[in-house]
């Protein structure tokens, strides 16, 4: 794993930290590849239920590393997109913990996570239009699906930032913290990690994918995700634990 991305695991939660604070955690090729590798680790580790993506030094991610860009680097991973994440998602839940700025590609990384927790001083934006560019790593596609359409249009056309408080009002982020976002993200992750891993993956899958389903196919499509959950050992364990008034012991099968 690159030193530009740090990984820690504890209590069923993996924390992936973009570790380029001197560059405001701007994304370069090696960091993107390291995030992609961390996501593979998240998927493979049966002791980890939830991932958190955050940034070191008080900034989430300021976007693409322009110095790397000028050297011919691309902070994209094949089939996974910007930062190894914008065109792909792991099956397990992933939380963005945002301090400082989540701008341009950094905003698009946050958009690619399932949940967002932010410090109350955090700022979000896709300012590409101010530089004659467009937020092509998912911002233009995902933003109008995650906040009101006209607000997304305004952010894309003006390039202006919004505060964490405004983002929360719009339903774009889950929680605002007056302390480090990572602390609040870990609290949220702990609640998620206490639940059945198969149920988590199926629930995420349906919510993330169902926007493409027609009314005629949505029940059939949903069944493909949830049917294995109901016949799993974990389903029986969850019911037994409830009846016996004890904490369930998940096996992920």
């Amino acid at each position: 794993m690159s030193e530009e991305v740090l990984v820690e695991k504890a209590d069923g939660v993996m924390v992936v930290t973009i570790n380029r604070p001197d560059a405001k955690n701007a994304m370069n090729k090696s960091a993107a590849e390291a995030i992609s590798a961390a996501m593979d680790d998240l998927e493979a580790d049966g002791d980890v239920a939830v991932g958190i993506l955050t940034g070191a030094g008080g900034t989430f991610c300021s976007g693409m590393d322009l110095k790397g860009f000028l050297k011919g680097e691309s902070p994209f991973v094949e089939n996974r997109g910007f930062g190894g994440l914008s065109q792909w998602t792991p099956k397990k839940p992933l939380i963005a913990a945002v301090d400082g700025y989540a701008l341009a590609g950094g905003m698009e990384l946050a958009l690619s996570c399932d949940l967002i927790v932010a410090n109350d001083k955090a700022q979000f934006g896709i300012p590409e239009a101010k530089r004659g560019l467009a937020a092509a790593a998912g911002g233009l596609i995902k933003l109008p699906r995650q906040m009101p359409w006209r607000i997304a249009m305004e952010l894309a056309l003006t390039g202006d930032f919004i505060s964490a408080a405004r983002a929360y009002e719009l339903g774009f982020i889950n929680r605002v913290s007056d302390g480090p976002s990572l602390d609040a993200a870990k609290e949220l992750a702990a609640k998620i990690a206490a639940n059945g891993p198969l149920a988590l993956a199926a629930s995420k899958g349906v919510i993330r994918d169902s926007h493409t389903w027609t009314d005629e196919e949505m029940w059939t499509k949903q069944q493909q995700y949830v049917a294995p959950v109901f016949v799993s050992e974990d389903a029986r364990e969850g019911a037994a634990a409830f009846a016996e008034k004890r904490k369930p012991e998940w096996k992920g099968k």
Side-chain angles (χ1 to χ4, degrees):
M1 187 70 66
S2 168
E3 291 184 359
E4 294 181 322
V5 172
L6 307 177
V7 174
E8 298 178 10
K9 302 177 186 179
D11 302 319
V13 178
M14 172 188 284
V15 178
V16 180
T17 304
I18 307 167
N19 187 40
R20 307 190 73 230
D22 293 342
K24 300 296 183 184
N25 295 324
M27 188 58 52
N28 62 3
K29 182 68 171 178
S30 62
E33 291 175 342
I35 290 173
S36 181
M39 293 301 106
D40 287 338
D41 189 11
L42 172 66
E43 290 288 74
D45 193 333
D47 293 327
V48 174
V50 187
I52 297 174
L53 180 66
T54 193
T59 296
F60 181 70
C61 175
S62 59
M64 180 172 64
D65 186 328
L66 295 180
K67 292 181 180 178
F69 173 75
L70 292 173
K71 292 190 295 184
E73 285 188 8
S74 172
F76 286 74
V77 175
E78 186 175 1
N79 298 322
R80 294 192 174 184
F82 180 87
L85 199 58
S86 68
Q87 296 176 23
W88 171 88
T89 183
K91 291 181 180 179
K92 295 177 181 179
L94 184 62
I95 303 169
V98 178
D99 296 306
Y101 292 108
L103 303 178
M107 171 75 145
E108 290 165 318
L109 284 179
L111 284 166
S112 300
C113 296
D114 304 302
L115 303 162
I116 302 175
V117 174
N119 174 264
D120 58 6
K121 302 298 191 299
Q123 297 278 311
F124 298 85
I126 46 172
E128 283 86 345
K130 292 180 181 290
R131 303 291 179 262
L133 301 171
L140 301 179
I141 298 169
K142 296 176 182 178
L143 201 58
R145 295 176 180 172
Q146 298 185 27
M147 66 168 56
W149 186 90
R150 283 186 173 81
I151 304 299
M153 184 70 79
E154 180 181 344
L155 292 178
L157 299 183
T158 64
D160 289 345
F161 303 168
I162 59 171
S163 66
R166 178 60 171 151
Y168 182 77
E169 289 174 358
L170 294 168
F172 173 63
I173 66 177
N174 298 86
R175 299 184 181 185
V176 179
S177 170
D178 59 3
S181 66
L182 184 57
D183 292 345
K186 285 181 176 179
E187 290 181 8
L188 180 57
K191 291 187 175 185
I192 296 170
N195 298 327
L198 298 181
L200 294 176
S203 297
K204 169 178 172 169
V206 172
I207 291 174
R208 290 288 298 232
D209 298 344
S210 59
H211 68 89
T212 65
W213 302 345
T214 66
D215 288 349
E216 291 74 20
E217 68 184 1
M218 63 183 182
W219 294 105
T220 300
K221 290 280 192 179
Q222 177 181 258
Q223 192 67 3
Q224 295 171 6
Y225 289 75
V226 304
V229 176
F230 283 90
V231 297
S232 68
E233 290 185 30
D234 277 357
R236 295 184 62 83
E237 168 62 12
F242 177 79
E244 297 166 10
K245 296 182 173 56
R246 60 174 175 82
K247 183 179 178 180
E249 297 180 5
W250 308 119
K251 297 181 179 179
K253 60 182 182 179

